[in-house]
Amino acid sequence: MSQPQVLDDKWGKKAMTPTVEHFHRAVREVVAERFAASGRAWEDFVHDLACEITAEDLQAVEKSLLDTGYTFETSAHVSLAESPEKYKPLAVVSDSGNQVTDDEGRKVVGTGDNVFSAPDLTGTARFVGTVDVVMEMLLGGVPPDTIAIIDDSGGTLTAPILEGFAGVICMGGTVRSHLGILTREYNIPCLMAAELDGLADGDKIHVQYSKPATDAYAERDESARVRISKIS
């Protein structure tokens, strides 16, 4: 068996996110260092349990990434609460006052990536970002025509009431995030990676869910993003 080139990039290009790129490179470096120090043939080295990547190794890799000043995207409130130093703050909705208008003269208060194509939808924007709000809707029911504005792309927080939403707009993640997968399975129109400007809880909005689904592997295309227009 030939000696492996453990530092070679298996995919021949950089990973799509800094986190994946850093972990791939760092783990390859750990393996290469241990392999070189072992003085053994590759087939013997890989079957030695003493050479396994450990939890301590991965913790050291994570620390080396965080030491660069990088912080992880927040996908669950509990992660941010338990380790705020590791995560980016959750997105907040500001109001620049510079919103463009759509063809019907309505303010465009946001855009997002479409998970799948569905009929356009008009409903009421309701911010669902805490356990208290979820419990209130779980016990009292989700108000009709609710388009949930969610900042947690993990989907765990809203899973108990997800079926009650007419639509979802998530300010994090990608169309491949857990929440995107759940909404597609439940056939609930959903935008991911939404950027909002001037949207408030209780606003009546119109969402262009009928646009084609976003290609998860394509470069960002502003013209392909779904518009969120404020009606009142």
Side-chain angles (χ1 to χ4, degrees):
M1 178 182 292
S2 61
Q3 299 302 303
Q5 299 299 313
V6 293
L7 284 175
D8 286 354
D9 187 339
K10 179 179 178 181
W11 293 274
K13 62 180 181 180
K14 283 192 172 183
M16 294 182 68
T17 69
T19 305
V20 174
E21 179 64 26
H22 184 88
F23 270 76
H24 282 180
R25 179 177 52 77
V27 169
R28 286 198 297 269
E29 290 175 352
V30 170
V31 173
E33 181 180 341
R34 290 183 182 169
F35 176 54
S38 73
R40 305 167 69 180
W42 177 253
E43 57 266 34
D44 296 328
F45 173 77
V46 296
H47 289 99
D48 185 350
L49 295 180
C51 297
E52 283 188 335
I53 297 295
T54 66
E56 289 75 17
D57 291 327
L58 296 178
Q59 288 167 358
V61 172
E62 179 186 271
K63 183 177 184 305
S64 68
L65 176 59
L66 296 173
D67 285 347
T68 67
Y70 183 82
T71 49
F72 299 119
E73 296 291 338
T74 300
S75 63
H77 284 264
V78 66
S79 299
L80 185 61
E82 292 181 348
S83 303
E85 75 283 0
K86 295 183 181 179
Y87 294 90
K88 294 180 175 64
L90 289 169
V92 296
V93 180
S94 58
D95 186 350
S96 69
N98 297 317
Q99 296 88 357
V100 299
T101 56
D102 63 16
D103 293 340
E104 298 185 32
R106 303 172 298 200
K107 284 186 178 180
V108 176
V109 292
T111 62
D113 292 336
N114 209 9
V115 173
F116 65 96
S117 183
D120 289 350
L121 184 64
T122 297
T124 303
R126 301 186 190 280
F127 285 74
V128 185
T130 66
V131 173
D132 290 341
V133 174
V134 172
M135 287 302 298
E136 180 180 339
M137 291 184 174
L138 185 62
L139 297 175
V142 177
D145 302 323
T146 290
I147 298 178
I149 314 299
I150 300 173
D151 49 25
D152 179 350
S153 62
T156 305
L157 176 70
T158 53
I161 55 173
L162 194 59
E163 285 184 288
F165 298 143
V168 168
I169 296 171
C170 180
M171 292 184 283
T174 72
V175 293
R176 300 176 64 199
S177 295
H178 188 207
L179 181 61
I181 295 170
L182 287 175
T183 53
R184 187 169 60 243
E185 292 301 312
Y186 280 97
N187 200 33
I188 300 168
C190 178
L191 303 186
M192 298 296 298
E195 295 173 355
L196 307 177
D197 180 11
L199 178 66
D201 189 77
D203 284 347
K204 190 172 183 180
I205 57 176
H206 178 84
V207 187
Q208 294 179 306
Y209 286 116
S210 60
K211 294 196 77 168
T214 298
D215 183 345
Y217 300 98
E219 296 291 332
R220 173 164 168 153
D221 179 1
E222 290 298 336
S223 66
R225 302 255 297 171
V226 168
R227 281 184 162 190
I228 306 162
S229 300
K230 181 175 177 177
I231 297 175
S232 63

